[in-house]
Short mmCIF file of all heavy atoms in Angstrom, two decimals:
data_model
loop_
_atom_site.label_atom_id
_atom_site.label_comp_id
_atom_site.label_asym_id
_atom_site.label_seq_id
_atom_site.Cartn_x
_atom_site.Cartn_y
_atom_site.Cartn_z
N THR B 1370 -9.28 -31.74 -15.49
CA THR B 1370 -7.94 -32.01 -14.96
C THR B 1370 -6.90 -31.37 -15.88
O THR B 1370 -5.90 -30.72 -15.48
CB THR B 1370 -7.72 -33.49 -14.76
OG1 THR B 1370 -8.74 -34.04 -13.92
CG2 THR B 1370 -6.35 -33.71 -14.27
N ALA B 1371 -7.04 -31.67 -17.26
CA ALA B 1371 -6.06 -31.15 -18.21
C ALA B 1371 -6.09 -29.60 -18.22
O ALA B 1371 -5.03 -29.00 -18.25
CB ALA B 1371 -6.27 -31.82 -19.62
N LEU B 1372 -7.30 -29.00 -18.37
CA LEU B 1372 -7.37 -27.60 -18.43
C LEU B 1372 -6.82 -26.89 -17.16
O LEU B 1372 -6.12 -25.82 -17.32
CB LEU B 1372 -8.86 -27.25 -18.68
CG LEU B 1372 -9.37 -27.48 -20.13
CD1 LEU B 1372 -10.86 -27.12 -20.22
CD2 LEU B 1372 -8.58 -26.75 -21.12
N ALA B 1373 -7.07 -27.44 -16.05
CA ALA B 1373 -6.58 -26.76 -14.76
C ALA B 1373 -5.07 -26.75 -14.85
O ALA B 1373 -4.30 -25.84 -14.49
CB ALA B 1373 -7.07 -27.57 -13.52
N MET B 1374 -4.50 -27.91 -15.24
CA MET B 1374 -2.99 -27.93 -15.32
C MET B 1374 -2.35 -26.96 -16.45
O MET B 1374 -1.43 -26.32 -16.29
CB MET B 1374 -2.56 -29.46 -15.60
CG MET B 1374 -1.02 -29.57 -15.31
SD MET B 1374 -0.66 -29.37 -13.48
CE MET B 1374 1.05 -29.76 -13.53
N ILE B 1375 -3.08 -26.93 -17.63
CA ILE B 1375 -2.79 -26.13 -18.74
C ILE B 1375 -2.77 -24.71 -18.32
O ILE B 1375 -1.79 -23.90 -18.64
CB ILE B 1375 -3.43 -26.48 -20.06
CG1 ILE B 1375 -3.17 -27.93 -20.48
CG2 ILE B 1375 -3.27 -25.48 -21.06
CD1 ILE B 1375 -4.11 -28.41 -21.63
N LEU B 1376 -3.86 -24.31 -17.75
CA LEU B 1376 -4.13 -22.87 -17.43
C LEU B 1376 -3.13 -22.53 -16.33
O LEU B 1376 -2.51 -21.36 -16.31
CB LEU B 1376 -5.49 -22.50 -17.03
CG LEU B 1376 -6.52 -22.71 -18.11
CD1 LEU B 1376 -7.97 -22.51 -17.49
CD2 LEU B 1376 -6.26 -21.75 -19.18
N GLY B 1377 -2.76 -23.40 -15.36
CA GLY B 1377 -1.82 -23.16 -14.33
C GLY B 1377 -0.36 -22.88 -14.88
O GLY B 1377 0.47 -22.17 -14.33
N MET B 1378 -0.12 -23.68 -15.95
CA MET B 1378 1.30 -23.61 -16.52
C MET B 1378 1.41 -22.59 -17.58
O MET B 1378 2.51 -22.18 -18.08
CB MET B 1378 1.64 -24.96 -17.14
CG MET B 1378 1.93 -26.11 -16.12
SD MET B 1378 3.45 -25.73 -15.24
CE MET B 1378 3.39 -26.99 -13.98
N LEU B 1379 0.35 -21.90 -18.01
CA LEU B 1379 0.31 -20.90 -19.08
C LEU B 1379 1.30 -19.68 -18.71
O LEU B 1379 2.14 -19.32 -19.51
CB LEU B 1379 -1.01 -20.41 -19.41
CG LEU B 1379 -1.19 -19.65 -20.67
CD1 LEU B 1379 -0.69 -20.41 -21.90
CD2 LEU B 1379 -2.60 -19.18 -20.89
N PRO B 1380 1.18 -19.08 -17.50
CA PRO B 1380 2.12 -18.00 -17.24
C PRO B 1380 3.61 -18.46 -17.23
O PRO B 1380 4.47 -17.69 -17.64
CB PRO B 1380 1.60 -17.53 -15.83
CG PRO B 1380 0.29 -17.95 -15.72
CD PRO B 1380 0.23 -19.25 -16.39
N ILE B 1381 3.90 -19.71 -16.71
CA ILE B 1381 5.23 -20.18 -16.80
C ILE B 1381 5.76 -20.42 -18.24
O ILE B 1381 6.87 -20.06 -18.59
CB ILE B 1381 5.34 -21.48 -16.01
CG1 ILE B 1381 4.91 -21.28 -14.47
CG2 ILE B 1381 6.78 -22.04 -16.07
CD1 ILE B 1381 4.97 -22.45 -13.65
N ALA B 1382 4.77 -20.92 -18.97
CA ALA B 1382 5.27 -21.23 -20.42
C ALA B 1382 5.55 -19.86 -21.25
O ALA B 1382 6.30 -19.90 -22.18
CB ALA B 1382 4.15 -21.98 -21.18
N LEU B 1383 4.73 -18.83 -20.76
CA LEU B 1383 5.04 -17.52 -21.56
C LEU B 1383 6.21 -16.80 -20.97
O LEU B 1383 6.48 -15.59 -21.45
CB LEU B 1383 3.76 -16.60 -21.36
CG LEU B 1383 2.45 -17.18 -22.08
CD1 LEU B 1383 1.26 -16.32 -21.75
CD2 LEU B 1383 2.65 -17.32 -23.55
N ALA B 1384 6.88 -17.27 -19.96
CA ALA B 1384 8.05 -16.69 -19.37
C ALA B 1384 7.77 -15.31 -18.83
O ALA B 1384 8.54 -14.31 -19.10
CB ALA B 1384 9.13 -16.69 -20.40
N LEU B 1385 6.66 -15.14 -18.20
CA LEU B 1385 6.30 -13.79 -17.64
C LEU B 1385 7.15 -13.63 -16.34
O LEU B 1385 7.30 -14.50 -15.54
CB LEU B 1385 4.77 -13.71 -17.26
CG LEU B 1385 3.89 -13.96 -18.53
CD1 LEU B 1385 2.50 -13.96 -18.03
CD2 LEU B 1385 4.14 -12.93 -19.57
N GLY B 1386 7.48 -12.39 -16.06
CA GLY B 1386 8.25 -11.99 -14.99
C GLY B 1386 9.77 -12.20 -15.14
O GLY B 1386 10.19 -12.75 -16.07
N GLU B 1387 10.44 -11.58 -14.12
CA GLU B 1387 11.99 -11.60 -14.20
C GLU B 1387 12.42 -13.06 -13.98
O GLU B 1387 12.06 -13.70 -12.98
CB GLU B 1387 12.59 -10.66 -13.14
CG GLU B 1387 13.99 -10.53 -13.22
CD GLU B 1387 14.54 -9.54 -12.24
OE1 GLU B 1387 13.66 -8.96 -11.47
OE2 GLU B 1387 15.70 -9.30 -12.15
N GLY B 1388 13.33 -13.52 -14.91
CA GLY B 1388 13.87 -14.86 -14.79
C GLY B 1388 12.91 -15.89 -15.21
O GLY B 1388 13.11 -17.04 -14.91
N GLY B 1389 11.89 -15.56 -15.93
CA GLY B 1389 10.73 -16.50 -16.36
C GLY B 1389 11.35 -17.44 -17.39
O GLY B 1389 10.74 -18.60 -17.59
N GLU B 1390 12.43 -17.07 -18.14
CA GLU B 1390 12.91 -18.00 -19.15
C GLU B 1390 13.39 -19.27 -18.64
O GLU B 1390 13.53 -20.28 -19.39
CB GLU B 1390 13.97 -17.16 -20.00
CG GLU B 1390 13.48 -15.97 -20.73
CD GLU B 1390 13.44 -14.78 -19.82
OE1 GLU B 1390 13.80 -14.92 -18.66
OE2 GLU B 1390 13.06 -13.70 -20.25
N GLN B 1391 13.82 -19.26 -17.35
CA GLN B 1391 14.49 -20.48 -16.86
C GLN B 1391 13.47 -21.65 -16.69
O GLN B 1391 13.85 -22.80 -16.98
CB GLN B 1391 15.07 -20.17 -15.42
CG GLN B 1391 15.82 -21.45 -14.75
CD GLN B 1391 16.39 -20.92 -13.51
OE1 GLN B 1391 16.36 -19.84 -12.98
NE2 GLN B 1391 16.94 -21.95 -12.76
N ASN B 1392 12.19 -21.36 -16.27
CA ASN B 1392 11.11 -22.32 -16.04
C ASN B 1392 10.23 -22.40 -17.17
O ASN B 1392 9.32 -23.26 -17.14
CB ASN B 1392 10.34 -21.92 -14.75
CG ASN B 1392 11.18 -22.12 -13.51
OD1 ASN B 1392 12.15 -22.85 -13.50
ND2 ASN B 1392 10.98 -21.17 -12.63
N ALA B 1393 10.45 -21.69 -18.29
CA ALA B 1393 9.52 -21.65 -19.37
C ALA B 1393 9.51 -23.09 -20.07
O ALA B 1393 8.48 -23.60 -20.58
CB ALA B 1393 9.91 -20.68 -20.44
N PRO B 1394 10.58 -23.80 -20.20
CA PRO B 1394 10.57 -25.17 -20.93
C PRO B 1394 9.70 -26.14 -20.07
O PRO B 1394 9.01 -26.99 -20.65
CB PRO B 1394 12.12 -25.58 -20.86
CG PRO B 1394 12.84 -24.37 -20.93
CD PRO B 1394 12.05 -23.37 -20.08
N LEU B 1395 9.59 -25.95 -18.77
CA LEU B 1395 8.79 -26.92 -17.97
C LEU B 1395 7.25 -26.62 -18.35
O LEU B 1395 6.51 -27.67 -18.54
CB LEU B 1395 8.98 -26.69 -16.48
CG LEU B 1395 8.31 -27.48 -15.49
CD1 LEU B 1395 9.16 -27.75 -14.36
CD2 LEU B 1395 7.04 -26.96 -14.99
N GLY B 1396 6.86 -25.45 -18.35
CA GLY B 1396 5.49 -25.14 -18.65
C GLY B 1396 5.04 -25.61 -20.08
O GLY B 1396 3.97 -26.02 -20.29
N ARG B 1397 5.99 -25.24 -21.00
CA ARG B 1397 5.71 -25.59 -22.47
C ARG B 1397 5.61 -27.20 -22.58
O ARG B 1397 4.71 -27.70 -23.44
CB ARG B 1397 6.68 -25.12 -23.31
CG ARG B 1397 6.74 -23.52 -23.30
CD ARG B 1397 8.01 -22.96 -23.99
NE ARG B 1397 8.06 -21.50 -23.88
CZ ARG B 1397 9.11 -20.74 -24.22
NH1 ARG B 1397 10.16 -21.35 -24.65
NH2 ARG B 1397 8.99 -19.45 -24.07
N ALA B 1398 6.56 -27.85 -21.96
CA ALA B 1398 6.46 -29.37 -22.05
C ALA B 1398 5.14 -29.80 -21.47
O ALA B 1398 4.48 -30.83 -21.97
CB ALA B 1398 7.63 -29.97 -21.32
N VAL B 1399 4.76 -29.37 -20.36
CA VAL B 1399 3.44 -29.87 -19.68
C VAL B 1399 2.22 -29.43 -20.58
O VAL B 1399 1.34 -30.42 -20.79
CB VAL B 1399 3.29 -29.14 -18.32
CG1 VAL B 1399 1.88 -29.48 -17.70
CG2 VAL B 1399 4.40 -29.71 -17.38
N ILE B 1400 2.21 -28.24 -21.17
CA ILE B 1400 1.05 -27.90 -22.03
C ILE B 1400 0.93 -28.76 -23.21
O ILE B 1400 0.02 -29.34 -23.57
CB ILE B 1400 1.16 -26.43 -22.27
CG1 ILE B 1400 0.91 -25.57 -21.03
CG2 ILE B 1400 0.18 -26.09 -23.41
CD1 ILE B 1400 1.16 -24.07 -21.24
N GLY B 1401 2.19 -28.91 -23.90
CA GLY B 1401 2.09 -29.69 -25.17
C GLY B 1401 1.81 -31.20 -24.87
O GLY B 1401 1.07 -31.83 -25.62
N GLY B 1402 2.38 -31.67 -23.80
CA GLY B 1402 2.11 -33.10 -23.48
C GLY B 1402 0.63 -33.32 -23.03
O GLY B 1402 0.05 -34.30 -23.51
N LEU B 1403 -0.09 -32.42 -22.33
CA LEU B 1403 -1.34 -32.61 -21.97
C LEU B 1403 -2.31 -32.40 -22.97
O LEU B 1403 -3.42 -33.13 -23.04
CB LEU B 1403 -1.72 -31.65 -20.65
CG LEU B 1403 -1.04 -32.01 -19.40
CD1 LEU B 1403 -1.51 -31.08 -18.28
CD2 LEU B 1403 -1.49 -33.46 -18.97
N VAL B 1404 -2.04 -31.47 -23.90
CA VAL B 1404 -2.95 -31.23 -25.08
C VAL B 1404 -3.06 -32.43 -25.90
O VAL B 1404 -4.18 -33.01 -26.18
CB VAL B 1404 -2.47 -30.03 -25.88
CG1 VAL B 1404 -3.27 -30.02 -27.17
CG2 VAL B 1404 -2.67 -28.70 -25.04
N MET B 1405 -1.92 -33.05 -26.28
CA MET B 1405 -1.90 -34.30 -27.13
C MET B 1405 -2.40 -35.47 -26.32
O MET B 1405 -3.15 -36.28 -26.91
CB MET B 1405 -0.56 -34.53 -27.66
CG MET B 1405 -0.50 -35.54 -28.73
SD MET B 1405 -1.61 -35.29 -30.19
CE MET B 1405 -0.82 -33.85 -30.81
N ALA B 1406 -2.02 -35.53 -25.13
CA ALA B 1406 -2.43 -36.80 -24.31
C ALA B 1406 -3.93 -36.73 -24.11
O ALA B 1406 -4.57 -37.80 -24.01
CB ALA B 1406 -1.65 -36.62 -22.96
N THR B 1407 -4.51 -35.54 -23.96
CA THR B 1407 -6.09 -35.54 -23.75
C THR B 1407 -6.73 -35.96 -25.00
O THR B 1407 -7.76 -36.71 -24.91
CB THR B 1407 -6.43 -34.09 -23.34
OG1 THR B 1407 -5.69 -33.72 -22.17
CG2 THR B 1407 -7.90 -34.05 -23.15
N VAL B 1408 -6.20 -35.45 -26.10
CA VAL B 1408 -6.86 -35.95 -27.38
C VAL B 1408 -6.70 -37.46 -27.56
O VAL B 1408 -7.72 -38.24 -27.97
CB VAL B 1408 -6.21 -35.13 -28.51
CG1 VAL B 1408 -6.77 -35.81 -29.89
CG2 VAL B 1408 -6.61 -33.69 -28.43
N VAL B 1409 -5.46 -37.96 -27.24
CA VAL B 1409 -5.30 -39.39 -27.39
C VAL B 1409 -6.17 -40.17 -26.35
O VAL B 1409 -6.70 -41.30 -26.67
CB VAL B 1409 -3.87 -39.73 -27.13
CG1 VAL B 1409 -3.60 -41.22 -27.05
CG2 VAL B 1409 -3.03 -39.16 -28.38
#
């Protein structure tokens, strides 16, 4: 569950594509939260 969400948010977190910087904070927050939440 965590990896599927992390991999899905990876292109958004890298701000790929035109205007990707707008949604990059969403992907980074999801990835960081899920990585630490999975360990916890």
Side-chain angles (χ1 to χ4, degrees):
T1370 303
L1372 287 177
M1374 195 66 178
I1375 291 173
L1376 295 178
M1378 288 292 173
L1379 191 59
I1381 300 178
L1383 296 177
L1385 300 178
E1387 186 177 358
E1390 296 84 1
Q1391 181 178 359
N1392 296 325
L1395 185 147
R1397 294 167 185 171
V1399 171
I1400 292 176
L1403 285 182
V1404 169
M1405 186 61 66
T1407 302
V1408 175
V1409 171

